[in-house]
Amino acid sequence: MNNMSRRRFLMTTSGALAVTAFSSLEFTQPADAASATLGLDFTTGGSPSASTIASAGYSFVSRYLSDYPSKNLTPSEANSYRSAHIDIIGNWENDGLQSWQNSPPATSAAYAQGASHARTAQQQAAACGMAPSRPIYFSIDWEMPSSQQSALNAYFDGVASVIGLAQTGAYGGYYQLQRLFGAGKIAWGWQTYAWSYGNWDPRAQLRQIQNGVYVGGAEVDKDQAMASDFGQWGAGIARLVAGDFRDTGHVDVAGIDANNNLKLYANDGTGRLTDSGIYMLGSNGAWGGFKRLAAGYFVNRGDYTQLDVAGIDASNNLKLYTNDGTGRLTDSGIYMLGSNGAWGGFRSIVAGDFRNSGLSDIAGIDANNNLKLYTNDGTGRLTDSGIYMLGSNGAWAGFRTIVAGDFRNARTIDVAGIDANNNLKLYANDGKGRLTDSGIYMLGSNGAWGGFRSIVAGDFRNSGHTDIAGIDANNNLKLYANDGTGRLTDSGIYMLGSNGAWAGFR
């Protein structure tokens, strides 16, 4: 995946360099490319910032793992992507096995090399927050001929011996990936247009489709996801909400699925969800542009039977969709704080009765990494100033996602979130919307939440305690019970099976 070598030269099967003018070319893409999930890959030097990447409309990056620290993904860089809600793909490349052109290894040496590379790649990725269940792509950055396939198979056997076949991926051209998939040596494929001659393997979850693209003044390559799960990790915050949407006394879970529909999964009262899902606002993909969601009793109807949904839309406005009491929403949406795009810088929002007023307010992490509270007037309209819930010093910079609930059975709505060290921390509310500044660990301080893409809070077990549920690194929704003091049990139960059913929820 070496940018310069791939852009300027095409390796022949004999190992000679052939000058090829394919800089800034874009190869055949699927018809739906305009609505596809797009990302970038690049080296460290002169790379665009996370905010620039997000502003340009890209939702993931592929970054290096290697024996050369100067080009590698770092923990601080990974955190910057999380803060900008950008997913990460891990790609191992020293030289893309280009040294094999001059000295192809024996199968035993190739196996040992693959195992060695995998050990280092796994360690580096883990240091940046990747869960061990996520794949790593190992680069073949030249048109390796079929005569070296035995050595290449051995190399990937070595990789799989360390990280597991289910986590083993390859980057390369069409024929290289075709042979590896066919031999059962990889579970993940990232195909480049180079050395593919217009062919695409449908098994590849990721495609490199264009080079010579400029983003923020930096030259990068463009990639396209071909599956909802293409090995991404890091940010990937799924848009989930929880609440008693059907007025049954049970806390359900709703989220935006791979088809951009908001679907509701009913809870049986024990923390187990039904597996079908119902559409809350039709099946026309209307939620594709929404960045974040919150659920609350925003409209004072004299009771608490209709839990509504609010979200930041594609125009960065906060819109409210009212619930008819059965889990179905109205289709118009009202502006909660005007139509001027004021929510563009907000990374996460939650709803709750933070002031003990009987109304659900909105709190969110703004562009300056402060948690600000916007009060509700009872009609679903918010005040426009916002108050700081934990000072104005940018203390929420490392937090990927937040939830709200009465975690301590104190009759106040607290805030909890996954911090920069991948720990879930709880901040107590004084009942007036101000939080204490220390934070307590809800499930230890060992970074156990690194692989979670989203969390929601609610009394899922009808126990009187506010629990936490989240989509883990294996795309399963797991429930962690609260003991009533804000401490969670450490096992977690599956709310909708263990088959990765939440992979498409974004």
Side-chain angles (χ1 to χ4, degrees):
M1 201 182 94
N2 182 279
N3 288 6
M4 292 307 297
S5 65
R6 185 184 56 251
R7 287 181 184 140
R8 306 306 176 196
F9 302 102
L10 189 65
M11 293 291 185
T12 67
T13 55
S14 65
L17 288 173
V19 178
T20 307
F22 62 95
S23 180
S24 196
L25 292 180
E26 183 169 6
F27 285 66
T28 304
Q29 301 177 58
D32 64 348
S35 60
T37 300
L38 298 176
L40 303 173
D41 65 86
F42 47 84
T43 58
T44 301
S47 58
S49 68
S51 59
T52 298
I53 293 169
S55 297
Y58 297 98
S59 62
F60 69 91
V61 296
S62 176
R63 290 290 291 112
Y64 285 116
L65 310 166
S66 76
D67 287 324
Y68 304 103
S70 63
K71 76 174 188 177
N72 288 353
L73 176 71
T74 65
S76 61
E77 183 187 354
N79 281 338
S80 75
Y81 296 134
R82 291 188 184 99
S83 295
H85 311 301
I86 296 171
D87 277 316
I88 304 166
I89 300 295
N91 170 244
W92 171 271
E93 181 192 284
N94 275 348
D95 71 343
L97 303 184
Q98 291 189 42
S99 60
W100 286 26
Q101 296 175 80
N102 300 319
S103 180
T107 54
S108 59
Y111 181 97
Q113 186 180 31
S116 175
H117 287 174
R119 279 190 290 271
T120 305
Q122 187 178 56
Q123 292 168 359
Q124 292 177 358
C128 293
M130 190 192 84
S133 59
R134 292 282 74 196
I136 299 172
Y137 293 91
F138 292 77
S139 286
I140 311 161
D141 202 29
W142 64 292
E143 191 174 12
M144 186 178 292
S146 59
S147 62
Q148 294 192 20
Q149 194 62 40
S150 294
L152 189 63
N153 287 349
Y155 175 89
F156 279 95
D157 284 342
V159 169
S161 73
V162 175
I163 66 174
L165 177 59
Q167 288 75 42
T168 299
Y171 163 93
Y174 171 75
Y175 295 103
Q176 292 74 49
L177 293 193
Q178 185 185 56
R179 292 192 292 265
L180 286 168
F181 271 125
K185 302 302 180 182
I186 59 173
W188 301 82
W190 175 14
Q191 186 185 337
T192 174
Y193 59 79
W195 318 299
S196 291
Y197 307 101
N199 301 301
W200 292 107
D201 192 312
R203 293 168 291 186
Q205 294 92 340
L206 195 58
R207 294 178 179 178
Q208 186 183 67
I209 58 174
Q210 187 179 5
N211 68 306
V213 178
Y214 284 85
V215 175
E219 188 177 4
V220 296
D221 297 335
K222 183 190 292 187
D223 303 286
Q224 178 179 341
M226 305 306 298
S228 59
D229 186 359
F230 49 95
Q232 71 272 30
W233 53 274
I237 304 301
R239 296 157 290 179
L240 293 185
V241 286
D244 184 6
F245 296 106
R246 300 169 299 133
D247 193 25
T248 62
H250 303 324
V251 176
D252 308 319
V253 176
I256 299 175
D257 69 7
N259 297 312
N260 294 315
N261 296 310
L262 185 63
K263 296 189 77 175
L264 169 64
Y265 292 81
N267 180 4
D268 65 4
T270 71
R272 309 290 184 172
L273 304 180
T274 60
D275 63 358
S276 56
I278 63 170
Y279 296 109
M280 297 188 74
L281 192 63
S283 57
N284 60 352
W287 296 85
F290 280 77
K291 301 174 179 64
R292 293 291 174 265
L293 300 179
Y297 297 99
F298 298 111
V299 180
N300 187 358
R301 303 180 179 93
D303 56 29
Y304 292 93
T305 62
Q306 293 174 242
L307 187 68
D308 306 319
V309 176
I312 301 174
D313 69 7
S315 300
N316 294 314
N317 296 311
L318 186 64
K319 297 189 76 175
L320 169 63
Y321 294 81
T322 58
N323 180 4
D324 66 3
T326 71
R328 310 289 183 172
L329 304 179
T330 60
D331 64 358
S332 57
I334 63 170
Y335 295 108
M336 298 187 74
L337 193 63
S339 56
N340 58 353
W343 296 84
F346 281 77
R347 295 193 288 105
S348 187
I349 58 171
V350 289
D353 185 4
F354 297 106
R355 301 169 298 132
N356 285 358
S357 66
L359 299 172
S360 291
D361 305 318
I362 293 281
I365 300 174
D366 70 7
N368 296 313
N369 295 311
N370 297 310
L371 186 64
K372 298 189 75 175
L373 172 63
Y374 294 80
T375 58
N376 179 7
D377 66 2
T379 70
R381 312 289 182 172
L382 303 179
T383 61
D384 63 358
S385 56
I387 63 171
Y388 295 108
M389 297 186 74
L390 192 64
S392 57
N393 59 352
W396 297 85
F399 283 76
R400 301 203 309 277
T401 184
I402 54 174
V403 291
D406 182 8
F407 298 108
R408 302 169 298 130
N409 283 10
R411 297 187 179 181
T412 58
I413 301 300
D414 307 321
V415 176
I418 300 174
D419 70 6
N421 296 313
N422 296 314
N423 296 312
L424 184 64
K425 296 190 77 175
L426 169 63
Y427 294 81
N429 180 4
D430 65 1
K432 302 174 184 178
R434 308 288 185 173
L435 304 180
T436 61
D437 63 359
S438 57
I440 63 170
Y441 295 108
M442 298 187 73
L443 193 63
S445 56
N446 59 352
W449 296 85
F452 281 76
R453 297 198 292 111
S454 189
I455 54 174
V456 287
D459 183 5
F460 297 107
R461 302 169 298 132
N462 283 8
S463 65
H465 304 323
T466 302
D467 307 318
I468 296 280
I471 300 176
D472 69 8
N474 296 312
N475 293 310
N476 297 311
L477 187 65
K478 297 189 77 175
L479 170 63
Y480 293 81
N482 180 5
D483 66 3
T485 71
R487 309 290 184 172
L488 304 180
T489 60
D490 63 359
S491 57
I493 64 170
Y494 295 109
M495 297 187 74
L496 192 63
S498 57
N499 59 352
W502 297 84
F505 282 76
R506 306 294 294 170

